Amino acid sequence: MNTLQKSIVAAATVITLGGSYYYVTNSTFRDKTHTFLGVKEKESSKPIYNACFVIFDPSGSTSSTYSVPKIDTTYVKQLVEKIRENGDGDIWVTFIDQESFNNPILYFKVTGQPVKLEAPVRQPGESRIAFNNRDEEYKKWIKGSEEDAEKAQQLFQSQLYI
């Protein structure tokens, strides 16, 4: 290597190291770089806890335009499914009549849907052996969790239709 080539390599190294340091320490620069390159970070949504109280009030519910609509089991099941899509929660269902103090309250625990793990992705700098080990662990775990998820789904559906 002659002196010109050594100078070019040294300048490229300094620029690369300086840019890397600036990328790591400056979040604004990092965000602009991601926008420029079209990199999108994965949005993680946390499960939401929902508590819902449903009160059936059949008194005059069809006699006025602005009254409470008739609520049926289909509506409650839709509500349960909506809660389950977003996380987990609890539902209490009761009704109003002339002697409401003795009305039973139906309670239903809405369990969240099983979380599906994404397949592992090889990280930059990760050895092939380490990645293969992680991938094998994922495959073993996913095989067992699919069976557990199916059992949990069947249990949830059986409780829902009781």
Side-chain angles (χ1 to χ4, degrees):
M1 268 194 184
N2 61 22
T3 309
L4 179 62
Q5 290 175 333
K6 288 181 183 178
S7 300
I8 292 172
V9 168
T13 303
V14 168
I15 290 171
T16 302
L17 290 175
S20 299
Y21 176 78
Y22 194 65
Y23 175 83
V24 170
T25 58
N26 189 330
S27 62
T28 305
F29 178 72
R30 185 177 333 118
D31 292 341
K32 288 183 179 182
T33 304
H34 284 196
T35 303
F36 176 74
L37 295 175
V39 176
K40 294 183 180 178
E41 293 186 24
K42 188 169 61 171
E43 296 179 16
S44 62
S45 59
K46 293 182 180 179
I48 300 170
Y49 171 78
N50 295 281
C52 194
F53 302 90
V54 181
I55 302 173
F56 291 91
D57 182 9
S59 59
S61 62
T62 57
S63 63
S64 173
T65 306
Y66 301 106
S67 62
V68 177
K70 285 188 176 181
I71 300 173
D72 58 0
T73 56
T74 306
Y75 175 78
V76 175
K77 288 178 186 176
Q78 288 175 348
L79 186 61
V80 167
E81 291 300 325
K82 204 59 148 164
I83 289 173
R84 196 156 194 246
E85 285 176 14
N86 297 319
D88 62 341
D90 299 299
I91 290 185
W92 291 267
V93 180
T94 190
F95 60 95
I96 295 175
D97 62 2
Q98 291 178 353
E99 295 179 16
S100 295
F101 67 88
N102 63 357
N103 292 346
I105 297 175
L106 172 69
Y107 168 75
F108 186 73
K109 174 74 175 162
V110 180
T111 57
Q113 292 182 354
V115 178
K116 282 192 169 186
L117 291 181
E118 293 183 14
V121 177
R122 188 171 177 192
Q123 303 296 322
E126 182 179 24
S127 70
R128 173 64 68 182
I129 295 170
F131 172 70
N132 287 343
N133 289 340
R134 281 193 315 120
D135 192 43
E136 288 299 318
E137 288 177 23
Y138 167 77
K139 288 177 182 174
K140 288 178 187 175
W141 185 88
I142 202 75
K143 186 177 182 181
S145 74
E146 284 177 349
E147 295 169 2
D148 292 343
E150 183 62 33
K151 288 178 186 175
Q153 178 67 15
Q154 289 174 354
L155 176 63
F156 176 77
Q157 290 298 330
S158 68
Q159 290 174 343
L160 182 61
Y161 289 107
I162 289 180

